[in-house]
Amino acid sequence: MTRLSVNINKIATIRNARGGNVPDVIKMAVDCEKFGAEGITVHPRPDQRHIRYKDVRDLKGVLTTEFNIEGFPCSNFISLIKEIKPAQVTLVPDAPDVLTSNAGWDTVEREEELKKIIAELKPVCRVSVFVEADCRMVEGAKRCGADRVELYTESYAANYAQNKEKAIEKFVVAARKADEVGLGLNAGHDLSLENLQYFNRMIPNLQEVSIGHALISDALYFGMENTIQMYKRLLL
């Protein structure tokens, strides 16, 4: 079964809107695990507008499932990964001012840069690289030394309602390429109750999905425990 990692950034966004500690990000993460999440994902950004570095440190001591930390590999982020030693780091090419992740790495153009970063982080934890559904980018991630790729699924989600068969095509090809070159496969961005089941059914060797915005939004209607179980049923 594909593992569900819950991205809790949006819980921190709500907390930060009022200050204080409501909702309690650390308790919510632990509760997500109790409700069935097989992992917790966070994506600290330089402006700390949602998850803060302190949250990452506090989570380290309490999580019992897989801890996945996403982010741009600036020096502070790399130091944080070496300190926390999560199960997985997912490298994302975010500029400091982006609202949300909006592109994958160009693993061909930035191969030498990524090789150095990945070589530095691989002794610490598993390294995944956020890429477009493009065979060249998948092959580039392998040359860079990554353990996994995470396919950036925004275009799939955007086109799913119009033509799901066409929307999934390039992701199937990229997934097969990842398997061919020996890379593990994750996916994330705009996956939801509407489009997750088809994606999971069509993508070979999918190991993990990281879902935040849609899942947290659904939890406002259905409750967190029920929502996590709804998503997990789509991954059977």
Side-chain angles (χ1 to χ4, degrees):
M1 188 180 80
T2 306
R3 297 165 63 91
L4 172 66
S5 185
V6 175
N7 186 318
I8 60 170
N9 276 20
K10 287 300 187 294
I11 295 170
T13 300
I14 297 171
R15 176 200 62 188
N16 296 352
R18 288 287 297 270
N21 196 39
V22 178
D24 185 328
V25 170
I26 309 306
K27 182 179 184 304
M28 286 296 296
V30 172
D31 286 342
C32 285
E33 292 183 318
K34 290 177 182 177
F35 298 154
E38 288 106 352
I40 298 296
T41 292
V42 295
H43 188 148
R45 287 187 165 90
D47 62 6
Q48 300 193 75
R49 64 179 179 270
H50 35 62
I51 286 292
R52 300 165 178 159
Y53 276 32
K54 181 182 185 303
D55 296 325
V56 178
R57 294 184 171 99
D58 291 343
L59 286 164
K60 170 63 176 177
V62 299
L63 295 182
T64 59
T65 62
E66 180 174 291
F67 194 13
N68 173 44
I69 305 177
E70 301 178 343
F72 179 78
C74 63
S75 59
N76 287 342
F77 181 83
I78 290 173
S79 295
L80 180 70
I81 298 304
K82 290 180 177 179
E83 173 190 345
I84 301 301
K85 298 179 174 63
Q88 177 175 266
V89 58
T90 301
L91 304 179
V92 183
D94 280 355
D97 59 345
V98 298
L99 182 63
T100 186
S101 302
N102 57 15
W105 287 95
D106 186 332
T107 59
V108 176
E109 183 69 25
R110 303 180 74 173
E111 180 175 339
E112 293 307 313
E113 174 188 356
L114 284 168
K115 277 182 176 178
K116 292 176 183 177
I117 294 166
I118 291 170
E120 189 172 356
L121 292 176
K122 279 189 77 167
V124 178
C125 62
R126 183 172 70 238
V127 180
S128 179
V129 175
F130 194 63
V131 297
E132 309 281 348
D134 180 324
C135 289
R136 290 178 64 249
M137 298 304 113
V138 172
E139 290 172 328
K142 177 65 176 180
R143 288 195 302 274
C144 291
D147 301 297
R148 292 189 185 183
V149 287
E150 178 174 333
L151 297 182
Y152 172 42
T153 50
E154 188 275 336
S155 68
Y156 164 74
N159 295 304
Y160 174 84
Q162 290 75 31
N163 188 331
K164 64 183 181 182
E165 291 83 7
K166 185 172 179 56
I168 199 73
E169 283 179 353
K170 65 180 182 179
F171 291 89
V172 173
V173 174
R176 288 174 177 159
K177 177 58 68 175
D179 186 52
E180 177 187 317
V181 300
L183 286 172
L185 186 67
N186 301 337
H189 202 90
D190 288 349
L191 295 174
S192 68
L193 289 175
E194 177 186 12
N195 60 45
L196 178 60
Q197 186 174 49
Y198 182 72
F199 188 87
N200 184 60
R201 188 167 75 242
M202 297 299 293
I203 298 300
N205 306 309
L206 182 60
Q207 292 170 273
E208 175 185 299
V209 290
S210 175
I211 304 178
H213 183 82
L215 190 150
I216 302 303
S217 298
D218 288 329
L220 296 175
Y221 291 95
F222 305 123
M224 184 62 80
E225 182 173 10
N226 188 37
T227 298
I228 288 174
Q229 289 302 310
M230 290 167 74
Y231 274 85
K232 286 189 67 176
R233 284 194 290 272
L234 300 180
L235 296 170
L236 293 173

